[in-house]
Amino acid sequence: MATARRFPPRPHLQRGRTVVELMVVVALGLVILLGVGTLYLTADRSAQEAERGAVIEDSGRVALRIIGDAVRRSRYSEIANTDMYFRNAVLFGGGDAVALRGCTGQRFSTDEPPDCATVAGAVGDALLVAYQANNVLASAQGPAARDCLGNAAPNVAITVPTSAAVATVPVARNIFYLSGNNLMCLGNGNATPQAIVGDVTDFRVFFGYDDRPKTSVPELASASLEAPPQATSLRTAAYIDAQPGLGELTAWDWVVSVVVCLELRGPPNSATAGEQYQPCPRENSTSRLVEEADPIAMPGTRLRRTYTQTFAIRSLRASTLAVNRE
Protein backbone atom coordinates (compact mmCIF):
# COMPACT_ATOMS: atom_id res chain seq x y z
CA MET A 1 0.00 0.00 0.00
CA ALA A 2 1.31 3.37 -0.97
CA THR A 3 1.93 5.85 1.82
CA ALA A 4 1.26 9.61 1.63
CA ARG A 5 4.29 11.71 1.13
CA ARG A 6 4.79 14.25 3.82
CA PHE A 7 6.37 17.64 3.15
CA PRO A 8 7.91 19.77 5.88
CA PRO A 9 5.84 22.83 6.82
CA ARG A 10 6.73 26.00 4.94
CA PRO A 11 8.14 28.72 7.15
CA HIS A 12 5.85 31.77 7.79
CA LEU A 13 6.85 34.63 5.56
CA GLN A 14 7.35 37.93 7.58
CA ARG A 15 6.86 41.30 5.90
CA GLY A 16 8.47 44.50 7.33
CA ARG A 17 8.53 48.20 6.44
CA THR A 18 10.80 49.52 3.84
CA VAL A 19 13.31 52.25 4.54
CA VAL A 20 11.33 54.63 2.35
CA GLU A 21 8.18 54.07 4.37
CA LEU A 22 10.05 54.68 7.63
CA MET A 23 11.51 57.90 6.27
CA VAL A 24 8.05 59.12 5.22
CA VAL A 25 6.64 58.39 8.68
CA VAL A 26 9.53 60.13 10.41
CA ALA A 27 9.20 63.14 8.11
CA LEU A 28 5.47 63.41 8.80
CA GLY A 29 6.10 63.19 12.52
CA LEU A 30 8.70 65.92 12.38
CA VAL A 31 6.34 68.17 10.40
CA ILE A 32 3.58 67.65 12.97
CA LEU A 33 5.99 68.20 15.86
CA LEU A 34 7.31 71.36 14.23
CA GLY A 35 3.79 72.70 13.73
CA VAL A 36 2.79 71.96 17.32
CA GLY A 37 6.02 73.50 18.61
CA THR A 38 5.56 76.64 16.52
CA LEU A 39 1.97 76.97 17.69
CA TYR A 40 3.07 76.59 21.31
CA LEU A 41 5.86 79.14 20.97
CA THR A 42 3.53 81.61 19.25
CA ALA A 43 0.90 81.19 21.95
CA ASP A 44 3.52 81.49 24.68
CA ARG A 45 4.98 84.64 23.10
CA SER A 46 1.51 86.17 22.78
CA ALA A 47 0.76 85.36 26.40
CA GLN A 48 4.02 86.96 27.54
CA GLU A 49 3.35 90.08 25.46
CA ALA A 50 -0.16 90.31 26.88
CA GLU A 51 1.21 89.91 30.39
CA ARG A 52 3.85 92.59 29.85
CA GLY A 53 1.24 94.89 28.35
CA ALA A 54 -1.07 94.25 31.31
CA VAL A 55 1.70 95.14 33.78
CA ILE A 56 2.39 98.41 31.97
CA GLU A 57 -1.33 99.17 31.75
CA ASP A 58 -1.81 98.51 35.47
CA SER A 59 1.04 100.89 36.29
CA GLY A 60 -0.41 103.56 34.04
CA ARG A 61 -3.87 103.12 35.55
CA VAL A 62 -2.55 103.42 39.11
CA ALA A 63 -0.54 106.56 38.34
CA LEU A 64 -3.40 108.27 36.50
CA ARG A 65 -5.85 107.43 39.27
CA ILE A 66 -3.61 108.98 41.96
CA ILE A 67 -2.93 112.10 39.89
CA GLY A 68 -6.55 112.37 38.75
CA ASP A 69 -7.95 112.19 42.27
CA ALA A 70 -5.72 115.09 43.28
CA VAL A 71 -6.45 117.20 40.17
CA ARG A 72 -10.21 116.83 40.55
CA ARG A 73 -9.95 118.22 44.10
CA SER A 74 -7.68 121.08 43.03
CA ARG A 75 -8.74 124.46 44.44
CA TYR A 76 -11.45 122.87 46.57
CA SER A 77 -12.27 125.05 49.56
CA GLU A 78 -15.18 126.08 51.71
CA ILE A 79 -17.02 129.24 50.79
CA ALA A 80 -16.04 131.81 53.40
CA ASN A 81 -18.47 134.61 52.53
CA THR A 82 -21.06 135.71 50.02
CA ASP A 83 -18.68 137.67 47.79
CA MET A 84 -18.80 135.80 44.48
CA TYR A 85 -15.49 137.31 43.32
CA PHE A 86 -13.49 134.15 42.69
CA ARG A 87 -10.72 134.13 45.31
CA ASN A 88 -12.60 136.18 47.86
CA ALA A 89 -15.40 133.62 47.94
CA VAL A 90 -13.38 130.76 49.38
CA LEU A 91 -11.38 130.09 52.50
CA PHE A 92 -8.35 128.48 50.84
CA GLY A 93 -7.27 130.22 47.65
CA GLY A 94 -6.67 133.84 48.55
CA GLY A 95 -3.36 135.63 48.98
CA ASP A 96 -0.31 133.52 48.17
CA ALA A 97 -2.11 130.18 48.20
CA VAL A 98 -1.03 128.00 45.28
CA ALA A 99 -3.69 125.48 44.32
CA LEU A 100 -2.55 124.46 40.82
CA ARG A 101 0.76 124.97 39.08
CA GLY A 102 2.92 123.24 36.52
CA CYS A 103 6.56 123.36 35.43
CA THR A 104 7.57 122.65 31.84
CA GLY A 105 10.82 120.68 31.83
CA GLN A 106 11.65 121.96 35.30
CA ARG A 107 11.09 121.10 38.97
CA PHE A 108 9.46 122.94 41.84
CA SER A 109 11.75 124.71 44.26
CA THR A 110 11.55 124.46 48.03
CA ASP A 111 10.48 128.08 48.28
CA GLU A 112 7.09 129.12 49.59
CA PRO A 113 5.12 129.40 47.45
CA PRO A 114 6.99 126.90 45.24
CA ASP A 115 8.40 128.20 41.97
CA CYS A 116 9.84 126.45 38.91
CA ALA A 117 13.59 125.91 38.86
CA THR A 118 15.95 124.34 36.36
CA VAL A 119 17.42 121.01 37.51
CA ALA A 120 20.24 119.33 35.61
CA GLY A 121 19.13 116.11 33.94
CA ALA A 122 15.44 116.70 34.63
CA VAL A 123 13.10 114.85 32.27
CA GLY A 124 9.43 115.66 31.78
CA ASP A 125 7.23 118.16 33.59
CA ALA A 126 6.13 118.70 37.18
CA LEU A 127 2.64 119.24 38.61
CA LEU A 128 1.54 120.79 41.90
CA VAL A 129 -2.00 120.35 43.18
CA ALA A 130 -3.43 121.60 46.49
CA TYR A 131 -6.87 121.57 48.11
CA GLN A 132 -8.60 121.93 51.45
CA ALA A 133 -8.67 118.46 53.00
CA ASN A 134 -11.80 118.94 55.15
CA ASN A 135 -14.30 121.51 56.32
CA VAL A 136 -13.54 123.79 59.28
CA LEU A 137 -16.32 126.36 59.01
CA ALA A 138 -19.04 123.75 58.54
CA SER A 139 -19.29 120.22 59.89
CA ALA A 140 -16.49 117.94 58.78
CA GLN A 141 -17.40 115.70 55.84
CA GLY A 142 -16.18 112.37 57.19
CA PRO A 143 -12.49 111.47 57.17
CA ALA A 144 -10.22 114.21 55.88
CA ALA A 145 -8.65 113.81 52.45
CA ARG A 146 -4.99 112.78 52.50
CA ASP A 147 -2.03 113.62 50.33
CA CYS A 148 -0.83 111.42 47.46
CA LEU A 149 1.16 109.17 49.83
CA GLY A 150 -1.72 108.63 52.24
CA ASN A 151 -0.42 111.01 54.91
CA ALA A 152 -2.74 113.24 56.90
CA ALA A 153 -2.92 116.81 55.58
CA PRO A 154 -1.23 119.29 57.96
CA ASN A 155 -3.02 122.35 59.25
CA VAL A 156 -2.12 125.62 57.54
CA ALA A 157 -2.85 129.11 58.84
CA ILE A 158 -4.94 130.86 56.18
CA THR A 159 -5.94 134.52 56.17
CA VAL A 160 -9.63 134.66 55.35
CA PRO A 161 -10.10 136.78 52.19
CA THR A 162 -11.64 140.25 52.67
CA SER A 163 -10.99 140.06 56.42
CA ALA A 164 -8.13 139.96 58.88
CA ALA A 165 -9.28 136.69 60.44
CA VAL A 166 -6.94 133.73 60.37
CA ALA A 167 -8.26 130.19 60.16
CA THR A 168 -6.41 126.92 60.62
CA VAL A 169 -7.22 124.80 57.60
CA PRO A 170 -6.07 121.27 56.72
CA VAL A 171 -4.48 121.60 53.28
CA ALA A 172 -3.21 118.69 51.18
CA ARG A 173 -0.54 119.52 48.63
CA ASN A 174 0.92 117.05 46.14
CA ILE A 175 3.85 117.50 43.77
CA PHE A 176 4.35 114.97 40.96
CA TYR A 177 7.57 114.70 38.94
CA LEU A 178 10.05 112.24 37.41
CA SER A 179 13.24 111.14 39.11
CA GLY A 180 15.22 108.66 37.04
CA ASN A 181 12.50 106.37 35.69
CA ASN A 182 10.26 106.72 38.73
CA LEU A 183 7.15 108.86 38.98
CA MET A 184 7.58 110.55 42.33
CA CYS A 185 5.10 112.16 44.67
CA LEU A 186 5.96 114.66 47.38
CA GLY A 187 3.09 115.22 49.77
CA ASN A 188 3.10 117.92 52.43
CA GLY A 189 2.17 115.31 55.06
CA ASN A 190 5.74 113.98 54.88
CA ALA A 191 8.94 115.65 53.77
CA THR A 192 10.23 112.52 52.01
CA PRO A 193 9.09 111.92 48.40
CA GLN A 194 8.31 108.39 47.31
CA ALA A 195 8.00 106.60 43.99
CA ILE A 196 4.45 105.63 43.12
CA VAL A 197 5.18 103.96 39.75
CA GLY A 198 8.42 102.75 38.15
CA ASP A 199 9.62 102.39 34.57
CA VAL A 200 8.20 105.78 33.55
CA THR A 201 10.22 107.36 30.74
CA ASP A 202 8.21 110.56 30.23
CA PHE A 203 5.69 112.63 32.19
CA ARG A 204 3.96 115.52 30.43
CA VAL A 205 1.30 117.83 31.80
CA PHE A 206 -0.85 120.18 29.73
CA PHE A 207 -3.71 122.46 30.66
CA GLY A 208 -7.09 123.21 29.17
CA TYR A 209 -6.89 127.00 29.11
CA ASP A 210 -9.34 129.78 28.33
CA ASP A 211 -7.56 131.97 25.78
CA ARG A 212 -10.34 134.54 25.55
CA PRO A 213 -9.55 138.13 26.66
CA LYS A 214 -9.49 138.49 30.47
CA THR A 215 -12.22 141.09 30.80
CA SER A 216 -14.06 139.39 33.66
CA VAL A 217 -13.26 137.01 36.46
CA PRO A 218 -14.27 133.34 36.35
CA GLU A 219 -17.35 132.97 38.47
CA LEU A 220 -17.78 130.27 41.08
CA ALA A 221 -21.26 128.83 40.87
CA SER A 222 -24.04 131.25 39.97
CA ALA A 223 -25.47 130.81 36.48
CA SER A 224 -26.76 134.39 36.60
CA LEU A 225 -23.22 135.75 36.44
CA GLU A 226 -21.04 135.89 33.38
CA ALA A 227 -20.21 132.73 31.44
CA PRO A 228 -17.68 130.48 33.15
CA PRO A 229 -14.30 129.74 31.59
CA GLN A 230 -13.97 127.09 28.91
CA ALA A 231 -10.96 125.27 27.50
CA THR A 232 -10.32 126.97 24.18
CA SER A 233 -6.78 125.63 23.82
CA LEU A 234 -4.34 123.13 25.26
CA ARG A 235 -1.25 124.82 26.69
CA THR A 236 1.96 124.15 28.59
CA ALA A 237 2.72 125.50 32.05
CA ALA A 238 5.42 127.77 30.59
CA TYR A 239 2.87 129.39 28.29
CA ILE A 240 0.36 130.00 31.09
CA ASP A 241 3.05 131.46 33.36
CA ALA A 242 3.76 134.08 30.68
CA GLN A 243 0.12 135.20 30.38
CA PRO A 244 -1.27 138.23 32.25
CA GLY A 245 -3.85 137.83 34.97
CA LEU A 246 -6.61 140.17 36.08
CA GLY A 247 -6.55 141.97 39.40
CA GLU A 248 -5.40 139.51 42.05
CA LEU A 249 -6.11 136.58 39.75
CA THR A 250 -3.36 134.89 37.75
CA ALA A 251 -3.66 133.16 34.39
CA TRP A 252 -3.86 129.85 36.27
CA ASP A 253 -7.37 130.80 37.37
CA TRP A 254 -8.47 130.31 33.76
CA VAL A 255 -7.28 126.68 33.69
CA VAL A 256 -10.29 124.37 33.77
CA SER A 257 -8.76 120.94 33.07
CA VAL A 258 -5.46 119.09 33.23
CA VAL A 259 -4.21 116.62 30.62
CA VAL A 260 -1.66 114.10 31.89
CA CYS A 261 0.44 111.90 29.61
CA LEU A 262 2.62 109.07 30.90
CA GLU A 263 5.08 107.06 28.84
CA LEU A 264 5.96 103.71 30.37
CA ARG A 265 8.38 100.98 29.32
CA GLY A 266 8.27 97.22 29.63
CA PRO A 267 11.00 94.75 30.65
CA PRO A 268 14.05 94.05 28.47
CA ASN A 269 13.44 92.20 25.20
CA SER A 270 9.72 92.95 25.30
CA ALA A 271 9.70 94.58 21.84
CA THR A 272 11.57 94.54 18.57
CA ALA A 273 14.07 97.35 18.06
CA GLY A 274 12.73 99.93 15.64
CA GLU A 275 9.02 99.32 16.32
CA GLN A 276 6.93 102.48 16.15
CA TYR A 277 4.99 103.94 19.06
CA GLN A 278 3.10 107.16 19.83
CA PRO A 279 4.98 109.45 22.25
CA CYS A 280 3.38 112.12 24.44
CA PRO A 281 2.17 115.33 22.73
CA ARG A 282 4.52 118.27 22.31
CA GLU A 283 4.17 122.04 22.04
CA ASN A 284 4.34 123.50 18.56
CA SER A 285 7.19 126.04 18.72
CA THR A 286 5.38 128.37 16.32
CA SER A 287 1.74 128.33 17.45
CA ARG A 288 2.57 127.43 21.08
CA LEU A 289 -0.34 124.99 20.92
CA VAL A 290 0.02 121.41 22.17
CA GLU A 291 -0.26 118.94 19.30
CA GLU A 292 -0.02 115.21 18.75
CA ALA A 293 3.53 114.03 18.12
CA ASP A 294 4.49 111.87 15.16
CA PRO A 295 5.16 108.17 15.84
CA ILE A 296 8.80 107.37 16.54
CA ALA A 297 10.90 104.22 16.81
CA MET A 298 11.31 102.53 20.17
CA PRO A 299 14.79 103.00 21.59
CA GLY A 300 16.14 99.54 22.29
CA THR A 301 14.01 96.44 22.82
CA ARG A 302 11.79 97.59 25.69
CA LEU A 303 8.11 98.01 24.91
CA ARG A 304 6.85 101.62 25.13
CA ARG A 305 3.27 102.70 25.69
CA THR A 306 1.70 106.07 26.43
CA TYR A 307 -1.42 106.78 28.47
CA THR A 308 -3.21 110.13 28.32
CA GLN A 309 -6.22 111.29 30.31
CA THR A 310 -8.06 114.58 30.87
CA PHE A 311 -9.18 115.54 34.37
CA ALA A 312 -11.72 118.22 35.24
CA ILE A 313 -11.14 120.75 37.99
CA ARG A 314 -14.44 120.36 39.78
CA SER A 315 -14.27 123.61 41.74
CA LEU A 316 -14.73 125.52 38.47
CA ARG A 317 -18.09 125.37 36.77
CA ALA A 318 -16.61 125.24 33.29
CA SER A 319 -18.92 125.18 30.30
CA THR A 320 -16.62 122.73 28.53
CA LEU A 321 -13.51 120.77 29.50
CA ALA A 322 -12.60 119.60 26.02
CA VAL A 323 -10.63 121.93 23.82
CA ASN A 324 -12.85 124.00 21.55
CA ARG A 325 -10.94 124.23 18.26
CA GLU A 326 -13.50 126.27 16.33
Side-chain angles (χ1 to χ4, degrees), residues 29-314:
L30 289 175
V31 170
I32 295 173
L33 184 61
L34 180 62
V36 173
T38 303
L39 180 62
Y40 171 78
L41 292 176
T42 301
D44 183 63
R45 188 180 302 110
S46 299
Q48 291 181 8
E49 291 177 356
E51 183 178 359
R52 287 190 288 262
V55 171
I56 297 177
E57 185 172 348
D58 287 343
S59 297
R61 185 183 299 112
V62 168
L64 289 174
R65 180 182 61 80
I66 294 174
I67 296 173
D69 286 347
V71 170
R72 292 186 183 101
R73 291 188 176 104
S74 173
R75 294 196 183 113
Y76 168 74
S77 180
E78 290 179 274
I79 296 177
N81 52 51
T82 58
D83 184 353
M84 292 307 295
Y85 184 69
F86 184 76
R87 285 197 180 183
N88 290 343
V90 295
L91 181 59
F92 168 64
D96 293 330
V98 176
L100 178 68
R101 286 294 186 276
C103 291
T104 303
Q106 296 179 307
R107 297 291 177 267
F108 285 104
S109 66
T110 57
D111 301 332
E112 291 295 339
D115 198 4
C116 295
T118 301
V119 176
V123 176
D125 300 334
L127 175 66
L128 181 151
V129 180
Y131 46 87
Q132 184 176 336
N134 211 338
N135 292 341
V136 293
L137 302 180
S139 300
Q141 298 179 338
R146 296 177 176 267
D147 67 15
C148 53
L149 299 178
N151 299 308
N155 291 323
V156 178
I158 298 292
T159 301
V160 179
T162 68
S163 74
V166 177
T168 300
V169 182
V171 174
R173 186 174 72 186
N174 309 304
I175 296 178
F176 302 96
Y177 62 97
L178 275 185
S179 178
N181 291 121
N182 294 315
L183 179 63
M184 307 295 292
C185 175
L186 174 61
N188 62 338
N190 191 319
T192 303
Q194 294 183 25
I196 55 177
V197 171
D199 282 327
V200 181
T201 55
D202 200 7
F203 173 55
R204 301 287 172 176
V205 184
F206 309 106
F207 303 91
Y209 180 65
D210 191 342
D211 269 313
R212 296 175 299 177
K214 308 297 185 291
T215 56
S216 62
V217 298
E219 53 91 5
L220 185 66
S222 175
S224 63
L225 300 179
E226 296 185 47
Q230 60 179 337
T232 58
S233 65
L234 194 60
R235 300 289 187 176
T236 64
Y239 177 88
I240 296 174
D241 278 335
Q243 303 309 302
L246 179 66
E248 59 182 84
L249 297 175
T250 71
W252 287 97
D253 290 302
W254 277 266
V255 172
V256 298
S257 60
V258 178
V259 178
V260 176
C261 179
L262 288 169
E263 180 183 298
L264 292 95
R265 69 181 183 185
N269 301 318
S270 55
T272 302
E275 286 186 33
Q276 299 282 306
Y277 80 102
Q278 186 73 42
C280 288
R282 294 292 189 271
E283 181 187 49
N284 185 303
S285 59
T286 302
S287 67
R288 301 296 305 276
L289 292 171
V290 176
E291 301 174 348
E292 291 292 332
D294 295 328
I296 60 176
M298 294 184 188
T301 59
R302 304 187 73 164
L303 180 66
R304 300 293 180 101
R305 287 189 178 177
T306 55
Y307 299 89
T308 304
Q309 191 167 349
T310 302
F311 303 103
I313 299 175
R314 292 175 175 171

